[in-house]
Amino acid sequence: MLSRWIPAAGRQRGLLARLGSRAYSYGRVFDAAARDGELRVFVVAGEVSGDSLASRLMASLRKLSPVPVRFAGVGGELMCKEGLQSLFPMEEIAIMGLWELLPHIYNVKRKIKDTLDAAILFRPHAVVTVDSKGFSFRLLQQLKCRYNQKVDSPLHVHYVAPSFWAWKGGESRLSKLHNFVDHMLCILPFEDEICRLHGLPATYVGHPLLDDAAGLNVDSELSPDMSMRQRSGEAFSLEHGLSSDATILTMLPGSRMQEVARMLPIFFRTVQHLSHTLNDLSLVIPVAPHRDVRTYVENVVRSVPFPVVLIPGGSLEKRYGAFNASKAALCTSGTAVMELMLAKLPCVVAYQAHFLTECFIHLRKKINFISLPNILLDSPIVPEILFRACTDKNLAAKLSEVIFNDEVRQLQVGSAERMLQVLYEPIKRQGNLFAEELGDSGLSSDVYSPSTIAALTVLYTDKH
């Protein structure tokens, strides 16, 4: 099914090779790199999802650039595999929430200064910040002041637009961002037009879920009883010694230490409420690539009265193998919900925050949902149990529905195709536009991955 929307990996590599072999002579970053004989990109990510996005962008830039590429900045394990030597551990700036940030303000300010000094010394052609808007926007603001409108100042690109659409007055703040952001890379199809209407140049590059779908390379011709999804789940269970009759639940408590410590105990208590109704219960936890998170999770699972399989959360294959073997999932809000939709694994979204952060959210929010599938389809497809309502008893009741009620399950499973369509159709048009602008009509029918579109935007979008 997915191959109707996403090209196979081989086609992607062929497309990248054809584009990379040409020598186009426009685009501020491209021209500066050609002049200097190398492309220098300073890239900053502060979260696991940002690390994944940035690493894919780095790989695409390396494939598309006609000159050698050097990277510097801040990132995680995946970015380091692409050649980055991070200035400091990414986890030191992975902080979410208003009240939760207060104890870390001094350290974050110091990290901004260290990053700023390193960026100036690196003399980049482009500075790309990925998500983590609190850290990213302060860094870009101070960089803009330090360069003081010099002609050869780098292009400032921010990847993942802040969720301005979720907050009262959020859209009006976009007009201020153009003072230090030259281009916004959006991952939701309605964001780029709103950004441009408020004076901020923007491009919809596609949600990273589409790169996941391409990486999984699902074969739509397999019969339903021998699907790749089923085979992947069976292989996962066999590899980890789980019975074919076991009820496997996946837990995704988040990637930041603060949210994992808050949500994982609630998830375990939730499952205990249901243990008498589930046959041969086993749990799977994809663990974020964060040393403190790994240590915490390993310590907590020792006291859990069920078999628990820990897998590396950074592995696409293992993560989706776990999803395919599972009956349902508990997850915090974020990228994981989209991944579960792609895997057609029914889930319940749960989230808690500090009381003051919760009050702020209730006062300022203007949408009814927090999970992206619900937002994109404007419907309560995925159950959300949030804030003070997020108790183990409430979660257990909703999770029981998701496990045993076929109608509830089918609602989520049947919505995956619609969600992919919403994400994919605009990126197809964007890919065709790039093919036309770059002068190769033979590429106009090809589909580009989000990381490819993002890399092309960085290379060929003029600052002015």
Side-chain angles (χ1 to χ4, degrees):
M1 178 273 292
L2 291 176
S3 59
R4 296 210 308 270
W5 305 107
I6 309 298
R11 289 181 62 202
Q12 289 291 344
R13 286 193 290 271
L15 172 61
L16 289 170
R18 294 202 302 277
L19 279 170
S21 65
R22 298 181 59 119
Y24 302 104
S25 57
Y26 45 85
R28 182 182 180 89
V29 172
F30 186 100
D31 290 346
R35 180 194 64 216
D36 292 349
E38 67 172 2
L39 172 61
R40 296 187 297 276
V41 182
F42 194 88
V43 58
V44 175
E47 302 176 24
V48 171
S49 58
D51 181 43
S52 176
L53 267 179
S55 68
R56 289 170 171 176
L57 173 64
M58 291 164 69
S60 291
L61 282 171
R62 200 183 299 282
K63 291 176 182 177
L64 288 164
S65 175
V67 293
V69 185
R70 280 203 296 137
F71 297 107
V74 180
E77 290 183 4
L78 295 177
M79 292 168 69
C80 290
K81 289 178 181 177
E82 294 297 332
L84 179 75
Q85 289 188 333
S86 186
L87 297 172
F88 49 81
M90 175 186 73
E91 294 79 15
E92 294 187 18
I93 57 174
I95 302 164
M96 186 177 181
L98 299 174
W99 184 262
E100 293 88 340
L101 176 64
L102 290 178
H104 306 279
I105 283 181
Y106 174 77
N107 184 56
V108 171
K109 285 184 175 179
R110 185 163 53 84
K111 294 303 179 187
I112 291 175
K113 182 182 182 304
D114 292 344
T115 309
L116 176 69
D117 292 341
I120 296 293
L121 187 64
F122 187 62
R123 294 170 48 242
H125 300 114
V127 177
V128 181
T129 53
V130 185
D131 212 352
S132 303
K133 65 177 183 179
F135 187 92
S136 296
F137 290 165
R138 284 170 177 81
L139 172 66
L140 294 178
Q141 278 179 305
Q142 293 184 33
L143 261 178
K144 185 68 73 174
C145 291
R146 189 75 74 90
Y147 278 106
N148 195 25
Q149 304 300 320
K150 290 181 180 178
V151 176
D152 61 347
S153 62
L155 185 76
H156 284 188
V157 177
H158 185 68
Y159 198 166
V160 183
S163 51
F164 54 83
W165 35 266
W167 308 100
K168 295 173 183 175
E171 292 178 8
S172 63
R173 294 194 177 94
L174 288 173
S175 57
K176 300 176 182 176
L177 294 184
H178 82 274
N179 293 325
F180 52 88
V181 175
D182 297 314
H183 206 92
M184 184 73 72
L185 303 181
C186 303
I187 65 170
L188 299 179
F190 55 82
E191 294 175 326
D192 58 330
E193 184 177 356
I194 299 173
C195 286
R196 290 194 294 269
L197 286 172
H198 288 81
L200 180 62
T203 301
Y204 172 60
V205 299
H207 194 278
L209 187 77
L210 301 178
D211 269 334
D212 280 0
L216 292 171
N217 196 21
V218 175
D219 185 351
S220 62
E221 296 181 359
L222 289 172
S223 59
D225 60 331
M226 283 296 290
S227 70
M228 182 175 288
R229 187 177 298 109
Q230 287 176 311
R231 290 189 298 167
S232 168
E234 291 168 0
F236 181 89
S237 296
L238 184 64
E239 178 186 356
H240 295 283
L242 300 174
S243 165
S244 58
D245 297 325
T247 302
I248 302 172
L249 300 179
T250 291
M251 292 182 171
L252 295 145
S255 60
R256 306 177 190 90
M257 183 63 218
Q258 65 191 62
E259 63 186 358
V260 173
R262 182 184 294 125
M263 298 308 302
L264 191 57
I266 297 174
F267 285 179
F268 282 138
R269 292 197 299 271
T270 297
V271 172
Q272 284 180 324
H273 285 297
L274 299 178
S275 58
H276 65 285
T277 65
L278 301 174
N279 179 54
D280 193 11
L281 177 62
S282 297
L283 307 177
V284 178
I285 304 175
V287 183
H290 180 316
R291 184 183 60 190
D292 293 342
V293 169
R294 278 195 296 265
T295 302
Y296 174 80
V297 173
E298 287 168 358
N299 288 335
V300 170
V301 299
R302 291 193 182 106
S303 59
V304 175
F306 318 108
V308 181
V309 176
L310 303 182
I311 62 171
S315 167
L316 183 73
E317 183 181 355
K318 289 184 179 298
R319 205 163 62 243
Y320 279 92
F323 298 163
N324 294 333
S326 296
K327 180 72 172 178
L330 281 170
C331 69
T332 57
S333 60
T335 306
V337 192
M338 300 288 279
E339 295 178 346
L340 294 170
M341 284 288 284
L342 175 61
K344 296 190 174 183
L345 177 62
C347 70
V348 178
V349 170
Y351 200 75
Q352 279 192 348
H354 190 279
F355 174 71
L356 293 179
T357 301
E358 179 184 347
C359 290
F360 176 83
I361 290 172
H362 283 305
L363 285 172
R364 298 300 307 278
K365 73 181 178 72
K366 66 175 185 180
I367 59 174
N368 297 320
F369 311 115
I370 69 165
S371 56
L372 281 179
N374 294 347
I375 293 168
L376 287 169
L377 300 177
D378 194 24
S379 179
I381 305 296
V382 180
E384 298 178 351
I385 310 295
L386 310 174
F387 305 123
R388 277 172 287 180
C390 185
T391 65
D392 47 286
K393 290 184 178 179
N394 289 344
L395 273 177
K398 189 58 68 175
L399 182 60
S400 180
E401 274 187 44
V402 167
I403 293 173
F404 296 110
N405 188 318
D406 288 340
E407 188 176 335
V408 171
R409 293 178 63 80
Q410 189 54 41
L411 178 63
Q412 292 191 47
V413 171
S415 299
E417 177 84 357
R418 281 198 298 139
M419 187 186 71
L420 282 172
Q421 227 174 336
V422 168
L423 294 172
Y424 175 71
E425 285 302 322
I427 197 179
K428 182 179 179 181
R429 294 193 294 270
Q430 187 64 44
N432 291 340
L433 281 173
F434 263 116
E436 292 170 9
E437 290 175 8
L438 296 178
D440 190 341
S441 59
L443 296 177
S444 60
S445 62
D446 280 302
V447 183
Y448 307 146
S449 74
S451 55
T452 304
I453 295 287
L456 286 168
T457 305
V458 171
L459 286 170
Y460 296 110
T461 297
D462 195 285
K463 183 174 181 179
H464 303 293

